[in-house]
């Protein structure tokens, strides 16, 4: 059996060497977008790899055409930069050619996409029940244990919270290798996640690998079955419109998605379909307006379309969850300053003490500079008082913390949402030892 599998793998590698990927970048045919066409030998997961490379460059997808019937894969993407301009930077264009056109770029397995080993930092994965003040407590624990958060992202959805963080040891500036310290970190973080509610599942994983953060967050929340928990307080007209019907003549299941467009939406849906073991044979994406439309002809990797009502509902729920996890509610704040141990803990504590909740956060460190993004709202659900933002900016530094967008645009209805509770402003105590149960309401 193993011999046969190895022979199949070698044959696939031989075919790829004989037919290396071909990348064509066209800046002439479309007046308002760069067209990127990728042709290659087909295999499961290749579509996600291509979309991931382009998404990591922060490209905006305005159109996409996908075809992978038979043994050949051909995708066409219309992309722009974040300002809506064509991609003209020669270094970026050269990177695309190398990243997508290299024969070695498409030889990894689906499970290892975006994963490499590293001794520069330690990866901490956290998942558990969402509740007020959770992030502030987690950051306080890491600071207490002399861990510096270099990069990370935190999502909340349907009363669950998930985070992937890259941390280093304060003294060495490198990955944490001491088994005893790793065990203490894992135990203390898990205690914070569990609180006093022993019935809720909480999980902490510590490793020295480099994981594609956003894909891993999707995988963690999918494995946690967050899609099964109904999101209270979310009306039907706010939910993405996802439909799955069978095209019996062609033996496909056709998935259609209509929702408000946003960056990285294509990655989120393709990532979810791939992790659910579905293959996209044909696809059409149109996102030139405020609404995005996606249509995919899919089959399961076993060759069959969706064949039961239960499976159809599961696909719909998982795609809805994938779209909702990254939705950013609140006022966008950007922090840029010299990185230091405890910075994230201090900032989230200040937010909490001023009754602000954070619906989502992205933490990045480059060349010693911390560049963090927070989406914040008022803990009571009312519009944010501008005086609170002014006060926070004065405390942190007006040149360090900047407001992006206008506060009225991000006003929330006066109701609480379970998505807010990861960074809730209800706890004024700085202690991370008070892990009492807090019920989420909507």
């Amino acid at each position: 059996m193993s011999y046969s599998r190895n022979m199949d793998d070698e044959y696939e590698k031989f075919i790829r060497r004989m037919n290396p990927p071909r990348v064509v970048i066209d800046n002439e045919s479309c007046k308002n977008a760069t067209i990127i066409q990728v042709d290659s030998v087909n295999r499961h997961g290749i579509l996600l790899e291509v979309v991931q490379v382009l998404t990591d460059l922060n490209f905006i997808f305005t159109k996409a055409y996908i075809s992978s019937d038979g043994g050949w894969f051909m995708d066409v993407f219309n992309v722009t930069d974040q300002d809506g301009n064509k991609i003209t930077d020669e270094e970026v264009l050269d990177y695309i050619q190398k990243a997508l056109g290299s024969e070695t770029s498409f030889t990894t397995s689906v499970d290892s996409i975006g994963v490499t080993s590293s001794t520069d930092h330690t990866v901490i994965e956290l998942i558990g029940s969402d509740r007020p003040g959770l992030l502030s407590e987690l950051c306080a624990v890491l600071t207490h244990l002399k861990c510096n958060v270099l990069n990370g992202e935190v999502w909340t959805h349907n009363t669950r919270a998930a985070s992937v963080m890259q941390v280093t040891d304060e003294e060495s500036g490198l990955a944490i290798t001491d088994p005893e310290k790793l065990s203490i970190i894992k135990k203390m973080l898990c205690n914070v996640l569990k609180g006093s509610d022993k019935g809720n599942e909480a999980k902490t994983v510590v490793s020295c690998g480099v994981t594609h953060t956003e894909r891993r967050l999707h995988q963690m929340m999918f494995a946690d079955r967050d899609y099964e928990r109904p999101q209270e307080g979310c009306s039907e007209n706010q939910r993405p419109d996802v439909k799955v019907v069978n095209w019996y003549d062609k033996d496909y299941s056709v998935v259609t998605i209509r929702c408000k467009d946003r960056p990285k939406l294509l990655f989120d849906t393709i990532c979810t379909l791939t992790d659910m073991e579905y293959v996209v044979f044909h696809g059409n994406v149109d996102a030139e307006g405020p609404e995005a439309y996606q249509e995919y002809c899919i089959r399961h990797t076993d060759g069959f379309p969706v064949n039961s009502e239960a499976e159809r509902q599961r696909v719909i729920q998982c795609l809805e969850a994938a779209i909702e996890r990254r939705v950013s509610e609140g006022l966008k704040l950007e922090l840029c300053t010299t990185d230091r141990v405890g910075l994230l803990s201090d900032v989230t504590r200040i937010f909490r003490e001023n009754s602000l909740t954070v619906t989502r956060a992205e933490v990045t460190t480059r060349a010693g500079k911390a560049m963090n993004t927070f989406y914040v709202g008022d803990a009571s659900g009312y519009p944010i008082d501008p005086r609170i933002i002014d006060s926070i900016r004065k405390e942190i530094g007006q040149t360090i913390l900047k407001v992006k967008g206008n506060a009225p645009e991000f006003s929330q209805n006066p109701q609480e949402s379970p998505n807010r509770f990861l960074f809730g402003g209800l706890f004024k105590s700085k202690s991370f030892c008070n892990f009492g149960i807090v019920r989420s309401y909507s």
Side-chain angles (χ1 to χ4, degrees), residues 162-185:
S163 175
V164 175
M165 297 181 182
Q166 297 175 2
V167 304
T168 58
D169 181 77
E170 179 182 359
E171 294 181 0
S172 68
L174 299 174
I176 302 165
T177 56
D178 181 4
E180 184 177 353
K181 184 171 183 177
L182 290 173
S183 178
I184 293 173
I185 291 172

Side-chain angles (χ1 to χ4, degrees), residues 358-392:
V358 181
T359 59
R360 189 162 68 89
E362 299 173 9
V363 178
T364 306
T365 304
R366 293 176 185 168
K369 283 283 186 180
M371 292 174 283
N372 303 339
T373 301
F374 305 94
Y375 293 87
V376 302
D378 183 80
S380 63
Y382 290 97
I384 298 175
D385 186 341
R387 292 172 296 182
I388 292 178
I389 299 298
D390 290 340
S391 174
I392 291 173

Side-chain angles (χ1 to χ4, degrees), residues 42-95:
N42 189 31
R43 66 170 176 78
H44 183 49
I46 190 173
L47 173 59
L48 175 58
E49 290 185 41
V50 174
V51 171
Q52 181 172 299
V53 168
L54 299 179
T55 300
D56 287 347
L57 291 168
N58 292 318
F59 289 171
I60 303 298
F61 295 89
T62 59
K63 286 183 179 292
Y65 308 92
I66 300 162
S67 179
S68 61
D69 250 342
W72 200 251
F73 163 90
M74 185 185 78
D75 283 0
V76 179
F77 302 97
N78 288 24
V79 300
T80 68
D81 63 17
Q82 291 184 308
D83 296 321
N85 302 315
K86 291 185 179 182
I87 314 302
T88 57
D89 188 313
E90 290 298 329
E91 289 187 9
V92 175
L93 297 177
D94 184 57
Y95 172 80

Side-chain angles (χ1 to χ4, degrees), residues 81-330:
D81 63 17
Q82 291 184 308
D83 296 321
N85 302 315
K86 291 185 179 182
I87 314 302
T88 57
D89 188 313
E90 290 298 329
E91 289 187 9
V92 175
L93 297 177
D94 184 57
Y95 172 80
I96 295 171
Q97 286 283 359
K98 290 179 179 177
L100 299 181
S102 169
E103 180 237 326
T104 58
S105 65
F106 292 151
T107 58
T108 56
S109 68
V110 176
D111 292 334
S112 64
I113 295 174
V115 180
T116 57
S117 60
S118 174
T119 57
D120 295 335
H121 56 256
T122 299
V123 176
I124 298 177
E125 297 179 356
L126 307 165
I127 192 158
S129 293
D130 195 7
R131 60 180 171 80
L134 180 57
L135 179 71
S136 185
E137 293 176 8
L138 291 170
C139 292
V141 167
L142 290 172
T143 301
H144 174 72
L145 295 173
K146 300 187 182 303
C147 299
N148 188 34
V149 180
L150 294 180
N151 301 288
E153 196 156 345
V154 191
W155 292 355
T156 60
H157 184 246
N158 287 351
T159 75
R160 300 295 284 176
S163 175
V164 175
M165 297 181 182
Q166 297 175 2
V167 304
T168 58
D169 181 77
E170 179 182 359
E171 294 181 0
S172 68
L174 299 174
I176 302 165
T177 56
D178 181 4
E180 184 177 353
K181 184 171 183 177
L182 290 173
S183 178
I184 293 173
I185 291 172
K186 186 173 180 179
K187 181 178 179 179
M188 291 188 69
L189 290 177
C190 204
N191 286 341
V192 174
L193 286 170
K194 288 179 179 178
S196 60
D197 186 357
K198 305 302 181 183
N200 282 341
E201 293 183 12
K203 187 177 181 181
T204 304
V205 176
V206 179
S207 68
C208 289
V210 180
T211 304
H212 188 275
T213 300
E214 294 160 332
R215 181 163 193 239
R216 187 66 190 127
L217 283 167
H218 275 304
Q219 290 175 330
M220 290 164 62
M221 300 199 89
F222 172 69
D224 191 58
R225 306 176 80 90
D226 71 317
Y227 55 87
E228 291 184 343
R229 299 174 176 86
Q231 184 167 350
E232 300 173 6
C234 182
S235 63
E236 286 299 318
N237 60 0
Q238 292 177 315
R239 300 185 72 88
D241 181 13
V242 182
K243 293 183 172 63
V244 179
V245 298
N246 278 2
W247 186 3
Y248 294 103
D249 291 345
K250 299 294 184 180
D251 214 24
Y252 290 131
S253 291
V254 180
V255 177
T256 58
I257 300 170
R258 292 182 187 273
C259 64
K260 183 179 179 181
D261 190 31
R262 61 165 174 76
K264 303 189 178 183
L265 178 64
L266 180 62
F267 171 82
D268 293 338
T269 54
I270 295 298
C271 177
T272 299
L273 288 171
T274 302
D275 286 337
M276 292 182 73
E277 298 284 312
Y278 289 101
V279 179
V280 177
F281 288 88
H282 299 283
N284 177 47
V285 175
D286 187 347
E288 289 190 306
E291 183 181 77
Y293 175 79
Q294 300 181 7
E295 182 179 87
Y296 304 112
C297 296
I298 67 169
R299 292 189 195 120
H300 197 266
T301 51
D302 61 11
F304 292 98
V306 174
N307 57 19
S308 71
E309 178 61 20
E311 183 182 0
R312 188 181 75 87
Q313 288 298 328
R314 184 169 178 265
V315 172
I316 292 173
Q317 290 173 351
C318 289
L319 287 171
E320 286 177 345
I323 295 168
E324 292 168 352
R325 287 171 194 144
R326 205 198 289 265
V327 172
S328 302
E329 300 174 351

Side-chain angles (χ1 to χ4, degrees), residues 23-42:
V23 180
V24 177
I25 302 176
D26 178 5
N27 263 321
E28 303 297 329
S29 300
C30 181
K31 66 178 182 179
N32 56 6
T34 298
I35 300 175
I36 300 175
Q37 179 176 322
V38 182
D39 300 335
S40 174
V41 173
N42 189 31

